[in-house]
Amino acid sequence: MKIAIIGYGNIGKAVEQAVLAAPDMVLSDVYHHNDNLSRIKADVAILCVPTREVPEYAQICVNQGVATVDSFDIHSRIAGLRSELMPLDKAHKTVSIVAAGWDPGSDSVVRSLMQAIAPQGITYTNFGPGRSMGHTVAAKAIEGVHDALSMTIPLGTGVHRRMVYVELEEGADLKRVEKMILKDDYFAHDETHVIAVPSVAALNNVAHGVNLVRSGVSGATHNQRFEFNMTINNPALTGQVMVACARAAVRMKEAGRYGAYTMIELAPIDLLAGEKEDNIRALV
Amino acid sequence: MKIAIIGYGNIGKAVEQAVLAAPDMVLSDVYHHNDNLSRIKADVAILCVPTREVPEYAQICVNQGVATVDSFDIHSRIAGLRSELMPLDKAHKTVSIVAAGWDPGSDSVVRSLMQAIAPQGITYTNFGPGRSMGHTVAAKAIEGVHDALSMTIPLGTGVHRRMVYVELEEGADLKRVEKMILKDDYFAHDETHVIAVPSVAALNNVAHGVNLVRSGVSGATHNQRFEFNMTINNPALTGQVMVACARAAVRMKEAGRYGAYTMIELAPIDLLAGEKEDNIRALV
């Protein structure tokens, strides 16, 4: 399978490593953000551009009949992106896998499985500890903030604490910055602590985690308990998930199943390298 | 979807409860073990017969064009059962889902996902605490044992302890029974403790659990850690998984995707009641 990477930031570099490690893939091209994309020579283009630019880049690729994988992560707009790409993929006889990261992505698979095997109940998704990109960007935008890092701390039952580390600009007032952050819509609904530090760079790291918990009912039997935990390097996992989905995209295309799909619409076996029968023997 | 249940032991009764709780299913018939199965009126027959009888019953149903779900659990023969049923399902334009319990079954899905997102590494499946049917039957077969219960205790890294509770027959010698059990092939390779109790019935319960752990590599990044835990009522979970797979069987059949499949070949969304788009919005 020939893989192209579009966008070469943290995620693009992680995807490159996962493609190089895959026994059944070759890396055809790495396109930087503003490269000419009029003739992509690959089976799949893995889109590592900022999330808001994903729809545009996906269309450029699909119009050439190239399959795409993205890790579009605005939860409320995933179904919309899928619906937009669906007719385009069908028309060009190709496949797009959307929202293929870890959440949305592999976590969505676990949530779906948990709900299938205990249909009545509550699932809690507890994120972290790890950096939230959205909250970090929001904190950086506050006047008087030179640099910021917003860490998401899981408190259980889907409730999170925000630990916001700020490197202040010369002469900025911590009390005033704190007040602005606490008022911001990103932070107004969660327990939030603002802490001044001499260097945000010294704190930064890409570790993250999740704790997914469900207590539910199978048939008429209550108290069925399920839990999924992970502690991971965030871009490395995102890159690997995208590469696994690139493999699934090729297989769906080969089977003539053109269209746009989320990860919960894929058979897990299609994410795996190797022969189907061997994987069934090893994993079932 | 019209569902028939074949076999009405612990699992058959659990399947019945899960079918009755499903918003999109009706229970057509419950066939006891030796009923006449020449005219099954259902979309799917859920096979709740002893595992060794599954191939025979699956063929009876598939020959009538009825889809089947089984929880066949002899790991080494699952690929073989799938290959046997595959041409029959294709010929009769129907679908069989094989090995659809929790292990093999939903655990297989988690193992596949973990391997896809961290392809290099080791997965350990730690079972229990819970009753092992195979070991219990082996202990019961020992001379001098009136009743027995073999509990599987997880010690980590896939190593298990066997706690064997025996109710002795009048005049039987515990030392001799213990020696026979320790020599039996089911127990010879694990740490095994044999304990005499006045009543095995007083200890019996159907709780079980699993702890699936993987430390692996995503791309070039090591120390990616994943864990899946559950504590469950064993027949209730098995029954619910089978019912979820009955739904997937109907959907695969409607899509013209005839054949025999393990759970890792199914899209998780097909296990879920409700509309596809609604589930994507709720779970992705």
Side-chain angles (χ1 to χ4, degrees):
Chain A
M1 306 177 187
K2 287 171 64 184
I3 311 292
I5 297 173
I6 300 182
Y8 199 57
N10 277 346
I11 302 295
K13 286 166 190 161
V15 167
E16 182 180 31
Q17 291 183 325
V19 171
L20 295 176
D24 51 355
M25 294 181 177
V26 290
L27 182 61
S28 66
D29 286 294
V30 176
Y31 294 93
H32 290 255
H33 210 172
N34 48 4
D35 288 2
N36 181 350
L37 295 170
S38 59
R39 283 174 163 223
I40 300 165
K41 284 182 191 145
D43 299 307
V44 189
I46 301 186
L47 310 180
C48 308
V49 297
T51 226
R52 284 173 211 284
E53 299 174 19
V54 160
E56 177 197 339
Y57 280 92
Q59 290 183 15
I60 292 171
C61 299
V62 170
N63 280 333
Q64 297 173 51
V66 175
T68 65
V69 175
D70 66 65
S71 59
F72 185 83
D73 68 352
I74 307 170
H75 282 258
S76 60
R77 298 194 207 159
I78 292 167
L81 174 62
R82 175 180 171 278
S83 299
E84 252 173 70
L85 292 177
M86 185 73 84
L88 217 59
D89 277 299
K90 286 186 192 287
H92 293 279
K93 298 197 169 182
T94 191
V95 168
S96 291
I97 315 289
V98 304
W102 55 270
D103 204 317
S106 49
D107 282 1
S108 316
V109 173
V110 177
R111 277 193 290 269
S112 299
L113 183 67
M114 286 180 176
Q115 179 158 325
I117 68 183
Q120 191 182 321
I122 302 174
T123 300
Y124 293 113
T125 303
N126 303 301
F127 292 108
R131 176 172 58 179
S132 163
M133 278 307 294
H135 291 79
T136 293
V137 169
K140 277 187 192 177
I142 303 283
E143 207 192 312
V145 174
H146 174 65
D147 200 0
L149 162 65
S150 180
M151 293 290 287
T152 303
I153 312 298
L155 302 181
T157 60
V159 176
H160 297 91
R161 175 187 297 143
R162 310 291 169 185
M163 296 295 292
V164 188
Y165 300 93
V166 290
E167 196 178 316
L168 294 176
E169 280 174 355
E170 189 119 353
D173 175 34
L174 177 61
K175 279 285 157 213
R176 210 190 133 275
V177 164
E178 185 182 25
K179 209 172 149 185
M180 298 284 283
I181 289 175
L182 297 182
K183 265 199 337 203
D184 189 287
D185 209 48
Y186 261 95
F187 298 97
H189 313 288
D190 295 333
E191 178 191 328
T192 301
H193 301 259
V194 179
I195 296 162
V197 295
S199 162
V200 160
L203 307 185
N204 258 325
N205 81 85
V206 296
H208 219 306
V210 87
N211 162 251
L212 261 164
V213 197
R214 183 173 183 84
S215 172
V217 185
S218 305
T221 302
H222 292 243
N223 201 29
Q224 304 283 77
R225 294 184 171 269
F226 310 89
E227 183 177 24
F228 177 78
N229 299 306
M230 63 183 193
T231 59
I232 46 96
N233 172 312
N234 186 349
L237 185 61
T238 304
Q240 185 67 65
V241 170
M242 295 180 92
V243 167
C245 288
R247 186 176 288 123
V250 170
R251 289 176 177 163
M252 301 282 274
K253 196 170 166 173
E254 283 171 356
R257 300 180 59 208
Y258 311 124
Y261 302 91
T262 58
M263 274 185 83
I264 69 173
E265 297 168 87
L266 307 180
I269 201 167
D270 284 341
L271 302 171
L272 297 165
E275 292 301 318
K276 198 168 257 199
E277 292 247 338
D278 293 341
N279 284 322
I280 289 171
R281 276 177 225 281
L283 292 163
V284 174
Chain B
M1 306 176 185
K2 287 172 63 184
I3 311 291
I5 297 173
I6 301 181
Y8 198 59
N10 277 346
I11 302 296
K13 286 166 191 162
V15 166
E16 182 180 32
Q17 291 183 325
V19 171
L20 294 176
D24 51 355
M25 293 182 178
V26 290
L27 183 60
S28 66
D29 286 294
V30 176
Y31 295 93
H32 290 256
H33 211 173
N34 48 4
D35 287 2
N36 181 352
L37 294 170
S38 59
R39 282 176 163 221
I40 300 166
K41 284 182 192 144
D43 299 308
V44 190
I46 302 186
L47 310 179
C48 307
V49 297
T51 225
R52 284 173 210 284
E53 299 174 19
V54 160
E56 177 196 339
Y57 280 91
Q59 290 183 16
I60 292 170
C61 300
V62 170
N63 280 332
Q64 295 173 51
V66 175
T68 64
V69 175
D70 66 66
S71 58
F72 185 83
D73 66 353
I74 306 169
H75 283 256
S76 60
R77 298 194 206 158
I78 292 167
L81 174 61
R82 175 180 171 277
S83 299
E84 251 173 72
L85 291 177
M86 184 73 86
L88 217 58
D89 277 297
K90 287 187 192 286
H92 293 279
K93 298 198 170 181
T94 191
V95 168
S96 291
I97 315 288
V98 304
W102 56 268
D103 203 317
S106 48
D107 282 1
S108 316
V109 173
V110 176
R111 277 192 290 268
S112 299
L113 182 68
M114 285 180 177
Q115 179 158 326
I117 68 184
Q120 191 181 321
I122 302 174
T123 301
Y124 293 114
T125 304
N126 303 301
F127 292 107
R131 176 172 57 178
S132 163
M133 277 307 293
H135 291 79
T136 293
V137 169
K140 277 186 191 177
I142 303 281
E143 206 191 313
V145 175
H146 174 66
D147 201 359
L149 162 66
S150 180
M151 294 289 287
T152 303
I153 311 298
L155 301 180
T157 59
V159 176
H160 297 90
R161 175 188 297 143
R162 311 289 169 185
M163 296 295 292
V164 187
Y165 300 92
V166 290
E167 196 177 316
L168 295 177
E169 280 174 355
E170 189 119 352
D173 175 36
L174 177 61
K175 279 286 156 213
R176 209 191 132 273
V177 164
E178 184 183 24
K179 208 170 150 186
M180 298 282 284
I181 289 176
L182 297 182
K183 263 197 342 201
D184 188 286
D185 209 48
Y186 261 96
F187 299 97
H189 314 287
D190 296 334
E191 177 191 329
T192 301
H193 301 259
V194 179
I195 297 163
V197 295
S199 162
V200 160
L203 307 185
N204 258 326
N205 81 85
V206 297
H208 220 306
V210 87
N211 162 250
L212 261 164
V213 197
R214 183 173 183 85
S215 172
V217 184
S218 305
T221 302
H222 292 243
N223 201 28
Q224 305 283 76
R225 292 182 173 269
F226 309 89
E227 184 177 22
F228 177 79
N229 299 307
M230 63 182 193
T231 57
I232 45 97
N233 173 311
N234 186 349
L237 185 61
T238 304
Q240 184 67 63
V241 170
M242 294 179 93
V243 167
C245 288
R247 186 176 287 123
V250 170
R251 290 176 176 162
M252 302 281 274
K253 196 170 165 173
E254 282 171 357
R257 300 181 59 206
Y258 311 124
Y261 302 90
T262 58
M263 275 187 82
I264 69 173
E265 296 168 87
L266 306 180
I269 201 167
D270 284 341
L271 302 172
L272 297 166
E275 293 301 318
K276 198 168 257 199
E277 292 246 338
D278 293 341
N279 284 322
I280 289 171
R281 277 177 225 280
L283 291 163
V284 174

